[in-house]
C-alpha cells in the first residue's frame, strides 16, 4: 500500500489568558491511508480533454451518507454501474444498471443525489444538450444500508423524465444538492454552450417539481475586441452553507468569439457570485440586492450590477466550472484558474497556454465582507480543473489534476499554500472527483480517479483516501 504523510508546519499557539497557552490549531496535512479499486476495466476515451468517469464538475460521482460511500461510473461495456461500501472497507458491492453510455462524450457524466426525506439514491446521467436518463432507488435504501440488499432489484427502471416531469430537450450538467430540510434539488443547464440558462427542479420525498430557470442568456457584453449578445452562466457549484444560504460562483461563456483577442482562446470571462436565502427562489448579488427570480421574468443577467467579484476579460483562458465550498462560518470560497497577465495579455491556444502557464487562485470572502484572492504557487501542467475542500479547521486544500494536493492554513489567512502530495504514485489521467460529503462525515479526503490509458483501451478506476488533521 502506498502511504505518504506530509505535515504542515506548526502554527503559533494562541494565548487564551495571561500565562495560559492553548494548543495550536492544526494546519493542513494529508496522510494517505488506502486505495481501493472500483473497476479494473472502466470505459476510457478522451473528449474535451477529459474522461466521462472523472470530470471534476460532477456533483456527485462519489458521495458519503450514513456511514456508507457510493460511487457511479461506466464500465468497459458502457453500462452504468453504481457501487457502495462501508466507510473504511476495502471491497465495493456493485450493481450494473441496464443503461449504456450512448456516445463518446465526456460531458455525459453520472451524478448522484440523496433525498433524505425518503432515503432514496438518485442518478442522473448521459446528457449533453439533449435528453437525460434518470434512475432512483427504492425508498429507505440508504437509511439502513447494513440491512438492505444491494441488487438491481432495489433500483427502479431507467426513465427519460423525473417521474413524468419532462424538463427540457437540451439538458446538461446535472448537480444534485440537498436542502437543509432534506428535500433534493437538481441544478441543470437548459440550452447549449454559449446560449443557455440555469434551472432548478425540486423533489420533496414524493414528487418532482420544476422551479424554473434563474439565469438569462440575453443582453450585450462588450470587450475591447467586440460584442456578444448570447451566453451561458457556468456554475463552479451550488452549495448550502451551515446557515442554510445557497451559494453559487460562476463564469460567463460568450457565444460570439469576437470578444476574444484570438480564435484559439476561450470566451469565458469574469468570476461572479450570487446567493439565495430562500432555497433558490430568488438570487442576490454580493451587496444583497435581488438580481433574479427563479421561474420569473427577471433572471440573473450579464448586465446586472454587482455580480463580478474578480474581473477578467476573455483573453486569459479562464476555466469554467472549477470549484467552490463554504467554511464553518458560512463564508464562500472558490478556486479559479487562468493564464495570468505576466505571461501575456492574449492566449492563442487554450490547451497549450493553460498547460504551460495556467495558475489556480483561491478566492474567498473574509469575515469583514471583503473579497480576497491568493495565487496558489503550483504550476497547473494541465488544461483541466482543480477542486477545493475545507477541513474542520477551515484549512483549504486544492486537489489538482493528476491527484496533486496543495494546502493552506486558515491561521495564515490562506497565504501559505504549499504542495502536500505530488500524486506521482497514482498514474491518474487528469481531473478527479471529490467526495464532498465525506470530509464532514469522518474527516477523510476521498477522491475517485482513473488511470492513464490510450485510445479507447479501458483502464482501472480507483478511490484514494487521505486522513485530514484530527
Amino acid at each position: 500500500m502506498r502511504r505518504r504523510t506530509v505535515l504542515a508546519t506548526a502554527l503559533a499557539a494562541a494565548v487564551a489568558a495571561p500565562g495560559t497557552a492553548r494548543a495550536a490549531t492544526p494546519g493542513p496535512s494529508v496522510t494517505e491511508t488506502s486505495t481501493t479499486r472500483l473497476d479494473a476495466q472502466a470505459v476510457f476515451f478522451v473528449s474535451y480533454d477529459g474522461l466521462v468517469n472523472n470530470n471534476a464538475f460532477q456533483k456527485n460521482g462519489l458521495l458519503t451518507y450514513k456511514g456508507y460511500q457510493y460511487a457511479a461510473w461506466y464500465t468497459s461495456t458502457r453500462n452504468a454501474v453504481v457501487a457502495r461500501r462501508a466507510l473504511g472497507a476495502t471491497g465495493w458491492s456493485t450493481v450494473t444498471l441496464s443503461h449504456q453510455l450512448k456516445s463518446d462524450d465526456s460531458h455525459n457524466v453520472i451524478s448522484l443525489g440523496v433525498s433524505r426525506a425518503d432515503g432514496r439514491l438518485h442518478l442522473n446521467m448521459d446528457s449533453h444538450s439533449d435528453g437525460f436518463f434518470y434512475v432512483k432507488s427504492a425508498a429507505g435504501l440508504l437509511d439502513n444500508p447494513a440491512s438492505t440488499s444491494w441488487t438491481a432489484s432495489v433500483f427502479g427502471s431507467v426513465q427519460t423524465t423525473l417521474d413524468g416531469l419532462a424538463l427540457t430537450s437540451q439538458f446538461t450538467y446535472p448537480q444534485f444538492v440537498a436542502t437543509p430540510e432534506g428535500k433534493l434539488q437538481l441544478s441543470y443547464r437548459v440550452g447549449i454552450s454559449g446560449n443557455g440558462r440555469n434551472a432548478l427542479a425540486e423533489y420533496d420525498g414524493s414528487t418532482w417539481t420544476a422551479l424554473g430557470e434563474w439565469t438569462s442568456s440575453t443582453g450585450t457584453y462588450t470587450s475591447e475586441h467586440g460584442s456578444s449578445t448570447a451566453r451561458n452562466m457556468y456554475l463552479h457549484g451550488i452549495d448550502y452553507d451551515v446557515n442554510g444560504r445557497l451559494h453559487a460562483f460562476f463564469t460567463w461563456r460568450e457565444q460570439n468569439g469576437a470578444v476574444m483577442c484570438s480564435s484559439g482562446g476561450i470566451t469565458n470571462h469574469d468570476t461572479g457570485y450570487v446567493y439565495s436565502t430562500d432555497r433558490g427562489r430568488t438570487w442576490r448579488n454580493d451587496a444583497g440586492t435581488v438580481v433574479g427570480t427563479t421561474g420569473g421574468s427577471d433572471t440573473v443577467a450579464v448586465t446586472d450590477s454587482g455580480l463580478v467579484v474578480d474581473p477578467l476579460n476573455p483573453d486569459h483562458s479562464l476555466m469554467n466550472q472549477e470549484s467552490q465550498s463554504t467554511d464553518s462560518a458560512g463564508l464562500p470560497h472558490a478556486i479559479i484558474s487562468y493564464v495570468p497577465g505576466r505571461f501575456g495579455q492574449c492566449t492563442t491556444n487554450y490547451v497549450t497556454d493553460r498547460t504551460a502557464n495556467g495558475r489556480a487562485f483561491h478566492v474567498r470572502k473574509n469575515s469583514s465582507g471583503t473579497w480576497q484572492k491568493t495565487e496558489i504557487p503550483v504550476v497547473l501542467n494541465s488544461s483541466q480543473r482543480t477542486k477545493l475542500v475545507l477541513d474542520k479547521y477551515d484549512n483549504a486544500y486544492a486537489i489538482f489534476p493528476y491527484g496533486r494536493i496543495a494546502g493552506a492554513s486558515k491561521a495564515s489567512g490562506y497565504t501559505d499554500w504549499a504542495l502536500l502530495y505530488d500524486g506521482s504514485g497514482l498514474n491518474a489521467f487528469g481531473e478527479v472527483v471529490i467526495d464532498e460529503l465525506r470530509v464532514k462525515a469522518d474527516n477523510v479526503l476521498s477522491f475517485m480517479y482513473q488511470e492513464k490509458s490510450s485510445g479507447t483501451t479501458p483502464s482501472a478506476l480507483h478511490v484514494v483516501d487521505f486522513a485530514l488533521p484530527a
Side-chain angles (χ1 to χ4, degrees):
M1 178 184 72
R2 298 184 305 273
R3 183 179 178 91
R4 300 183 184 188
T5 303
V6 184
L7 297 179
T9 57
L11 301 174
V15 177
T20 303
R22 188 176 64 198
T25 300
S29 66
V30 294
T31 302
E32 184 180 352
T33 57
S34 68
T35 301
T36 58
R37 191 175 71 185
L38 289 168
D39 193 338
Q41 297 283 303
V43 69
F44 186 97
F45 56 84
V46 180
S47 161
Y48 297 93
D49 303 314
L51 304 181
V52 71
N53 286 329
N54 279 88
N55 257 314
F57 57 74
Q58 286 175 256
K59 186 182 180 75
N60 297 280
L62 184 70
L63 66 79
T64 292
Y65 185 70
K66 291 192 174 182
Y68 274 66
Q69 190 173 41
Y70 300 85
W73 69 94
Y74 300 102
T75 192
S76 59
T77 61
R78 306 178 71 86
N79 282 87
V81 176
V82 59
R84 73 174 183 184
R85 64 165 175 169
L87 291 182
T90 57
W92 292 80
S93 299
T94 62
V95 168
T96 301
L97 302 178
S98 61
H99 181 75
Q100 292 183 304
L101 178 67
K102 64 191 178 189
S103 62
D104 286 355
D105 187 332
S106 65
H107 290 79
N108 293 35
V109 299
I110 304 174
S111 292
L112 299 172
V114 176
S115 52
R116 297 198 304 270
D118 59 359
R120 294 183 194 267
L121 183 66
H122 302 250
L123 295 83
N124 192 296
M125 53 193 170
D126 204 0
S127 61
H128 184 196
S129 302
D130 53 11
F132 63 83
F133 298 87
Y134 168 69
V135 174
K136 69 178 183 182
S137 76
L141 177 66
L142 306 189
D143 290 333
N144 298 290
S147 59
T148 55
S149 63
W150 188 253
T151 63
S153 64
V154 300
F155 290 93
S157 59
V158 178
Q159 307 177 46
T160 54
T161 64
L162 299 178
D163 294 336
L165 177 65
L167 297 176
T168 173
S169 60
Q170 293 184 311
F171 180 101
T172 317
Y173 302 126
Q175 295 190 39
F176 288 110
V177 58
T179 71
E181 299 81 14
K183 295 180 180 180
L184 182 64
Q185 294 180 322
L186 176 63
S187 167
Y188 59 98
R189 187 186 72 191
V190 179
I192 62 174
S193 175
N195 190 7
R197 289 87 59 204
N198 291 332
L200 287 172
E202 186 173 85
Y203 178 75
D204 63 5
S206 62
T207 304
W208 280 101
T209 302
L211 301 184
E213 298 174 9
W214 62 274
T215 70
S216 172
S217 59
T218 61
T220 300
Y221 167 79
T222 301
S223 74
E224 61 183 287
H225 311 292
S227 297
S228 176
T229 57
R231 69 205 45 81
N232 70 279
M233 176 194 284
Y234 274 119
L235 295 177
H236 287 309
I238 185 166
D239 297 279
Y240 283 97
D241 68 19
V242 293
N243 303 311
R245 178 175 288 191
L246 185 60
H247 302 260
F249 285 90
F250 63 87
T251 60
W252 294 109
R253 164 78 61 83
E254 297 299 324
Q255 185 181 61
N256 191 351
V259 301
M260 294 187 293
C261 61
S262 169
S263 61
I266 195 166
T267 61
N268 296 343
H269 63 90
D270 296 319
T271 297
Y273 168 78
V274 290
Y275 69 91
S276 174
T277 57
D278 55 8
R279 309 299 188 253
R281 270 62 175 179
T282 58
W283 295 89
R284 299 173 183 268
N285 65 14
D286 185 44
T289 303
V290 174
V291 289
T293 300
T294 301
S297 58
D298 181 20
T299 51
V300 183
V302 73
T303 52
D304 287 329
S305 62
L307 301 182
V308 176
V309 297
D310 190 67
L312 188 70
N313 67 28
D315 297 336
H316 293 273
S317 293
L318 175 67
M319 174 53 79
N320 51 281
Q321 300 162 283
E322 198 111 33
S323 188
Q324 68 171 44
S325 188
T326 59
D327 63 25
S328 60
L331 295 170
H333 297 240
I335 295 289
I336 65 173
S337 65
Y338 58 87
V339 178
R342 65 179 182 270
F343 298 108
Q345 297 299 324
C346 180
T347 56
T348 58
N349 185 299
Y350 166 72
V351 173
T352 300
D353 290 344
R354 278 184 57 85
T355 301
N357 297 316
R359 298 294 187 273
F361 298 82
H362 177 212
V363 177
R364 69 183 180 98
K365 190 174 187 178
N366 65 25
S367 57
S368 64
T370 302
W371 289 95
Q372 294 184 283
K373 176 181 171 183
T374 304
E375 181 174 337
I376 304 174
V378 176
V379 179
L380 288 184
N381 290 327
S382 169
S383 66
Q384 296 180 289
R385 298 170 180 87
T386 297
K387 297 295 290 183
L388 174 66
V389 165
L390 300 174
D391 68 21
K392 68 180 183 180
Y393 301 105
D394 287 334
N395 298 311
Y397 301 80
I399 301 88
F400 287 86
Y402 318 121
R404 296 168 295 160
I405 305 172
S409 66
K410 177 183 178 180
S412 73
Y414 304 100
T415 60
D416 58 352
W417 283 98
L419 191 67
L420 304 179
Y421 179 79
D422 67 8
S424 60
L426 300 181
N427 193 35
F429 171 82
E431 293 177 358
V432 301
V433 174
I434 301 293
D435 187 336
E436 298 175 2
L437 300 179
R438 187 163 182 193
V439 176
K440 297 178 177 64
D442 69 349
N443 208 38
V444 169
L445 169 60
S446 188
F447 64 79
M448 182 166 66
Y449 70 92
Q450 190 161 349
E451 291 187 17
K452 296 174 183 176
S453 188
S454 60
T456 57
T457 302
S459 66
L461 187 69
H462 305 276
V463 172
V464 59
D465 298 335
F466 298 85
L468 298 177

